[in-house]
Amino acid sequence: MARFRAALTAAAVAALCFVGISPAQASDQLTVSYAGSVNDDLGTLQVSARSGSDIVELTAHVFSPVTQQEVAVLEPDDFALDSGTAQEGIWRSKAPLQLAEFGSYRIGIEATDADGDHISVADAGTLAYYAVAQFPEFTTDRTAIGVDERDVTVEGVLKAKLPGGGEPVVLPGRKVDIDVDYWTVTTVTTDDDGHFTATVQLDNAAPIQAVYRHDGDHAGYLYGESTMLQIGIDKALTRYTLQTSTQRIDKGQPVTLTGRLEKETENGWVPLSGVSGGILFGPTTTYNDRVGGFTTDADGTFSTQYTPWETGFFQVAHRSDDPFVSNGNARSSTVVVLQPARFLDFSALRTGSRSVHAEGHIDFDNISPATINVAVQYSPDGTSWTTLRTVEATWSGTGGYGFAADLAAKRPGHFRGYFDGGDVFQTITSASTHVGR
């Protein structure tokens, strides 16, 4: 094949310098933008060029970085258009170059377009003719560590992709760094098959990676790194056991919460001491009050006293400082807080031989029932009571909610008012009144 070795003469260069060229003409000029290695295939040469007409020939001259002598030539038939068009595109060598030594080779380019224009660029770029380290295999014996299993063993194979092409070759006797969270923790050497193994101890979750860095004894082999493998943590589970001193109290009375925190081990559940957390109390998980904090003692227990103002439950939670112990939370059973209720007065008076009139007032604090039902009860001896009638108490206008009832009662005995507060209000009775015949 013919090889172009023509160069611009001094006169031609001078002509280009002094003859005016319009912007349109300049954009149509034959130009070589750059020449260099393909990033993931360093031995393959690529050339970027453009012209106002099709580029029909490219020739590349490869010069030694040591002697500056030409060591290889790529003829027009050695190139193929890789992307773009024949007027503006990127051409690549059909096969990687075969050179004797690693190094950065200067590239000179000659280009010719369909209009017959021809240029020669003495320094169009650099061919990075180096081997690139690779880790086609890199594995770990575990994906997570535990409190008693913190050692991680890695193994892999180090190879190199040579710039001249072909299958990657193994690299024996090379140093490989094992990096944990981007810091080198140990360095091992590959065996005759390029294989390596190492064991590292982790104190937390971290990424782990094998890295080949520049080695002065093996010039020409570039940096390479394995896939990054994330090592997690198998956290020990935690659990709470919660107890309240009572399940039902009057408003204003305290309740004591006692708890125990444990973690799961191979030998079962054991106390978790020295752990701090917080305690809330309220009717829902989001509507609550802060009770305070806690720290577990030697046997994993804690205790606190609180005076709630409404029905609710305790919530406890901790965030573990130990990466091998999970965070945890729990809620107690519901503590019913009964709102105050009281009888302001009660009286009963006989109105006939067979009738008794009873009346009184009942009152509450900040809240009251929508419907206030008061039972008027009778007992012949003051110990065993029977409801004679239930009436609704209504606002009296002066204080408390008034109620009254006319009762059929011919026998003498004791009379009282009774209010069943259910799970919201206190259940109360009035003072009893004796009515004779």
Side-chain angles (χ1 to χ4, degrees), residues 200-235:
V200 296
Q201 187 176 85
L202 303 186
D203 294 323
N204 212 326
I208 191 168
Q209 187 178 35
V211 179
Y212 177 80
R213 293 182 167 88
H214 177 71
D215 185 346
D217 295 332
H218 302 92
Y221 290 84
L222 301 184
Y223 175 94
E225 60 185 30
S226 72
T227 301
M228 185 83 73
L229 300 179
Q230 180 66 42
I231 306 300
I233 293 179
D234 285 331
K235 292 178 177 287

Side-chain angles (χ1 to χ4, degrees), residues 157-181:
V157 174
L158 175 62
K159 292 187 177 183
K161 183 177 182 179
L162 301 179
E167 292 296 321
V169 298
V170 299
L171 296 182
R174 305 298 175 91
K175 294 178 180 179
V176 174
D177 292 334
I178 306 302
D179 286 8
V180 174
D181 202 13

Side-chain angles (χ1 to χ4, degrees), residues 63-357:
F63 297 91
S64 167
V66 178
T67 66
Q68 300 303 314
Q69 299 298 309
E70 185 177 273
V71 295
V73 176
L74 292 178
E75 303 288 359
D77 287 346
D78 295 327
F79 285 98
L81 183 64
D82 182 71
S83 63
T85 67
Q87 293 186 13
E88 184 172 2
I90 295 177
W91 285 260
R92 286 187 178 182
S93 58
K94 296 178 182 178
L97 279 77
Q98 301 293 326
L99 303 176
E101 298 178 348
F102 296 134
S104 297
Y105 290 81
R106 178 170 60 87
I107 303 298
I109 298 294
E110 293 182 61
T112 303
D113 64 17
D115 291 337
D117 293 331
H118 178 82
I119 61 171
S120 179
V121 182
D123 191 356
T126 301
L127 177 74
Y129 197 78
Y130 297 102
V132 178
Q134 297 179 336
F135 291 89
E137 300 175 28
F138 183 66
T139 59
T140 66
D141 66 336
R142 65 177 68 250
T143 58
I145 56 175
V147 63
D148 299 318
E149 298 174 332
R150 303 193 185 189
D151 288 344
V152 177
T153 298
V154 300
E155 63 176 323
V157 174
L158 175 62
K159 292 187 177 183
K161 183 177 182 179
L162 301 179
E167 292 296 321
V169 298
V170 299
L171 296 182
R174 305 298 175 91
K175 294 178 180 179
V176 174
D177 292 334
I178 306 302
D179 286 8
V180 174
D181 202 13
Y182 304 100
W183 289 92
T184 300
V185 296
T186 189
T187 300
V188 294
T189 302
T190 60
D191 62 17
D192 292 341
D193 297 320
H195 178 266
F196 62 91
T197 185
T199 298
V200 296
Q201 187 176 85
L202 303 186
D203 294 323
N204 212 326
I208 191 168
Q209 187 178 35
V211 179
Y212 177 80
R213 293 182 167 88
H214 177 71
D215 185 346
D217 295 332
H218 302 92
Y221 290 84
L222 301 184
Y223 175 94
E225 60 185 30
S226 72
T227 301
M228 185 83 73
L229 300 179
Q230 180 66 42
I231 306 300
I233 293 179
D234 285 331
K235 292 178 177 287
L237 296 178
T238 58
R239 71 177 183 184
Y240 285 94
T241 302
L242 301 178
Q243 292 181 329
T244 56
S245 57
T246 182
Q247 298 299 111
R248 196 177 182 92
I249 58 173
D250 291 337
K251 182 181 178 181
Q253 292 181 330
V255 60
T256 299
L257 172 72
T258 302
R260 178 181 174 88
L261 178 60
E262 298 173 302
K263 70 175 180 179
E264 188 177 29
T265 69
E266 293 180 351
N267 299 319
W269 293 92
V270 299
L272 193 54
S273 62
V275 174
S276 297
I279 306 173
L280 303 173
F281 184 93
T284 70
T285 57
T286 55
Y287 178 64
N288 45 51
D289 292 332
R290 177 173 174 79
V291 174
F294 70 88
T295 300
T296 59
D297 59 20
D299 62 355
T301 62
F302 61 93
S303 179
T304 189
Q305 189 177 78
Y306 179 66
T307 302
W309 61 276
E310 65 178 333
T311 296
F313 50 84
F314 289 99
Q315 296 179 77
V316 297
H318 74 274
R319 186 174 296 277
S320 177
D321 294 331
D322 187 339
F324 294 93
V325 176
S326 63
N327 301 330
N329 61 81
R331 54 180 285 181
S332 72
S333 56
T334 298
V335 177
V336 176
V337 178
L338 302 174
Q339 299 299 313
R342 57 188 174 275
F343 280 101
L344 300 179
D345 58 73
F346 178 82
S347 64
L349 178 67
R350 183 168 294 282
T351 57
S353 61
R354 295 178 176 272
S355 62
V356 171
H357 177 79

